[in-house]
Amino acid sequence: MNTESAATATRSTVSETNRSRVLHYLYTHGISSRASIAEALGLSAAAITKITARLIDADIIHEVGGIEGRKNRRSIGLELDPRQFHFIGVKFARSLVEIGVFDLKGETSSLTDLPPVKNDAIPDTIRTIHETITTLLDNDPSIVAIGMAVPGPYLRHEGRTAVVSSMQGWRTFNFLDEFSGAFRVPVFIEQDARAGVLAQYLFDPSSSNCRNLAYYLLGEGVGLGVIDDGRLVNGAQGAAAEIGHVSIDINGLPCDCGNRGCLERYCSAVAIHRRLTETGIIADADNMTHKQACHALFEQAAQGDADAQALVHEIGRYVGYGCVTIFNTFNPERIVLGDIVAEGGQPLLDAAREVVDERVIPELNQATTICLSKLPADAAVIGAAAVAVTQFLEHPSRFFTIT
């Protein structure tokens, strides 16, 4: 690249960075004046005027009339309207695929569960996903991107999941090849727990200011998404923080990953369903989906069944062993439990805290909150949308022509 081309590329990068900073500010603060944006971002009034003019011309932001400015002067307000842009989120969870449409703030327009996926019928599910997404795009021209949350360990550069316990048919499937250029809008793919932590960070007010945040996914698999000092933890291949394959018993149950005693063999929805089938605590459990079996267990425990309560407590303690690893590996301010197993609620959370109180350094324990997800939708499906929202805020020129 010659000197002139390098200078042009640098200017383009700086311009995109500043556009992103303006969008992030409006996303976080709502309607704002040009003067307040300039002051907050440390840019000149002239620079903000130029940046916002181009964003207005691209129909990304718009003016909303007079607002109170500095020294009680009236200013023209600018807004990034969260209802103007929609995003599709797709959650892949072994036997479960969920598709939703969300706005910039994570408000849900629609949410659909596809029929349960069978290991030998994955191609049928893929066709249904294509058809569903195409219909959503045809019916809603405000959809600007698609995010997908897939089981880990997801090898982001290859586009596939290295191990999918109990559902190996997904292991040979390449998400990038199948979806990256399939629709009129861009598609972004992320590991499910990392998508979940982005959802907590973007859409949950109680977590939005937390720069060291962990989302502990307890679904058909067990995963972890971590934001460390404001940055998403990825790893070299996109497979960092795979807590579901951390061994809690070196002589324990064998796992499809090749390890023994993996955490997800004890507190995933699949593992719980297996226990219910073996013990008979839930009648007809072998004819239920993993999600239905877990819901039946939690409901029976809530009604006072002693065997069900004892199993929920045992599962919660296994969840707690995972929390100990999260404490000692990432030292987050907040650990959020989500997905199917987290619907065990307060009894499950209390059992996890028992283990943490027994096994975590007191100073770390006292400085860290453990809570259940408060998002209105499953964190992985809304997190899939959050992956796309993040790209929209950080790289607006990928979505719109900005001159």
Side-chain angles (χ1 to χ4, degrees), residues 298-309:
F298 300 144
E299 183 176 347
Q300 195 159 305
Q303 293 171 353
D305 182 273
D307 290 336
Q309 289 176 338

Side-chain angles (χ1 to χ4, degrees), residues 82-89 100-104 107-110 132-146 184-185:
R83 298 162 298 182
Q84 183 179 349
F85 305 107
H86 287 170
F87 302 82
I88 293 175
V101 180
F102 306 88
D103 70 11
L104 266 172
E107 293 296 321
T108 307
S109 297
S110 67
T132 303
I133 291 176
T134 298
T135 299
L136 290 172
L137 291 170
D138 289 344
N139 293 337
D140 187 351
S142 64
I143 294 172
V144 296
I146 300 165
R184 67 167 175 82
V185 299

Side-chain angles (χ1 to χ4, degrees), residues 268-278 285-286 288-290 293:
S268 66
V270 174
I272 294 167
H273 194 180
R274 185 192 71 246
R275 285 289 301 278
L276 294 175
T277 302
E278 292 170 351
D286 54 347
M288 298 179 181
T289 66
H290 303 314

Side-chain angles (χ1 to χ4, degrees), residues 172-207:
T172 59
F173 182 77
N174 192 294
F175 293 92
L176 283 177
D177 289 348
E178 184 69 36
F179 295 116
S180 61
F183 306 104
R184 67 167 175 82
V185 299
V187 176
F188 304 97
I189 303 168
E190 184 56 273
Q191 182 249 27
D192 49 10
R194 273 196 289 280
V197 79
L198 284 175
Q200 302 295 332
Y201 195 63
L202 281 176
F203 303 141
D204 180 2
S206 64
S207 296

Side-chain angles (χ1 to χ4, degrees), residues 107-140:
E107 293 296 321
T108 307
S109 297
S110 67
L111 198 59
T112 302
D113 285 339
L114 299 191
V117 184
K118 297 185 182 300
N119 202 43
D120 58 354
I122 289 175
D124 296 333
T125 296
I126 298 304
R127 281 191 289 273
T128 302
I129 292 169
H130 277 278
E131 292 167 0
T132 303
I133 291 176
T134 298
T135 299
L136 290 172
L137 291 170
D138 289 344
N139 293 337
D140 187 351

Side-chain angles (χ1 to χ4, degrees), residues 81-380:
D81 185 351
R83 298 162 298 182
Q84 183 179 349
F85 305 107
H86 287 170
F87 302 82
I88 293 175
V90 185
K91 170 190 174 178
F92 294 84
R94 295 165 173 81
S95 70
L96 171 68
V97 175
E98 195 169 22
I99 301 177
V101 180
F102 306 88
D103 70 11
L104 266 172
K105 290 291 187 178
E107 293 296 321
T108 307
S109 297
S110 67
L111 198 59
T112 302
D113 285 339
L114 299 191
V117 184
K118 297 185 182 300
N119 202 43
D120 58 354
I122 289 175
D124 296 333
T125 296
I126 298 304
R127 281 191 289 273
T128 302
I129 292 169
H130 277 278
E131 292 167 0
T132 303
I133 291 176
T134 298
T135 299
L136 290 172
L137 291 170
D138 289 344
N139 293 337
D140 187 351
S142 64
I143 294 172
V144 296
I146 300 165
M148 294 184 171
V150 304
Y154 176 64
L155 309 178
R156 62 172 66 230
H157 304 301
E158 297 183 34
R160 65 181 182 86
T161 297
V163 178
V164 188
S165 305
S166 77
M167 199 82 169
Q168 288 297 314
W170 283 116
R171 189 170 181 175
T172 59
F173 182 77
N174 192 294
F175 293 92
L176 283 177
D177 289 348
E178 184 69 36
F179 295 116
S180 61
F183 306 104
R184 67 167 175 82
V185 299
V187 176
F188 304 97
I189 303 168
E190 184 56 273
Q191 182 249 27
D192 49 10
R194 273 196 289 280
V197 79
L198 284 175
Q200 302 295 332
Y201 195 63
L202 281 176
F203 303 141
D204 180 2
S206 64
S207 296
S208 59
N209 293 320
C210 183
R211 292 183 60 80
N212 294 276
L213 177 66
Y215 174 68
Y216 189 0
L217 183 150
L218 299 160
E220 291 193 355
V222 172
L224 181 67
V226 177
I227 290 175
D228 181 62
D229 196 24
R231 293 179 178 273
L232 196 62
V233 174
N234 290 305
Q237 294 173 282
E242 279 297 329
I243 194 171
H245 294 291
V246 170
S247 179
I248 59 171
D249 180 357
I250 60 172
N251 298 309
L253 297 171
C255 180
D256 290 342
C257 74
N259 195 8
R260 278 188 171 271
C262 289
L263 180 63
E264 73 170 39
R265 297 288 281 130
Y266 301 91
C267 61
S268 66
V270 174
I272 294 167
H273 194 180
R274 185 192 71 246
R275 285 289 301 278
L276 294 175
T277 302
E278 292 170 351
T279 61
I281 291 174
I282 300 298
D284 206 31
D286 54 347
N287 291 320
M288 298 179 181
T289 66
H290 303 314
K291 186 174 184 177
Q292 289 168 344
C294 289
H295 286 173
L297 170 66
F298 300 144
E299 183 176 347
Q300 195 159 305
Q303 293 171 353
D305 182 273
D307 290 336
Q309 289 176 338
L311 182 54
V312 170
H313 186 267
E314 179 186 335
I315 294 162
R317 286 189 64 84
Y318 282 121
V319 171
Y321 301 145
C323 286
V324 173
T325 298
I326 297 169
F327 269 86
N328 291 329
T329 306
F330 297 104
N331 183 210
E333 301 168 50
R334 188 181 189 87
I335 299 172
V336 182
L337 313 185
D339 217 300
I340 298 169
V341 179
E343 293 175 21
Q346 195 63 44
L348 182 127
L349 181 59
D350 289 344
R353 281 178 167 153
E354 280 180 12
V355 174
V356 169
D357 290 343
E358 293 165 4
R359 298 174 181 238
V360 170
I361 298 167
E363 290 84 351
L364 300 184
N365 192 3
Q366 293 164 10
T368 305
T369 301
I370 308 174
C371 62
L372 302 169
S373 176
K374 297 179 180 141
L375 293 178
D378 178 277

Side-chain angles (χ1 to χ4, degrees), residues 18 21-22 34-35 37-39 41-52:
N18 285 333
R21 294 176 69 201
V22 170
R34 289 173 176 83
I37 298 171
E39 182 178 8
L41 301 185
L43 297 172
S44 68
I48 289 297
T49 297
K50 183 178 180 180
I51 294 166
T52 56

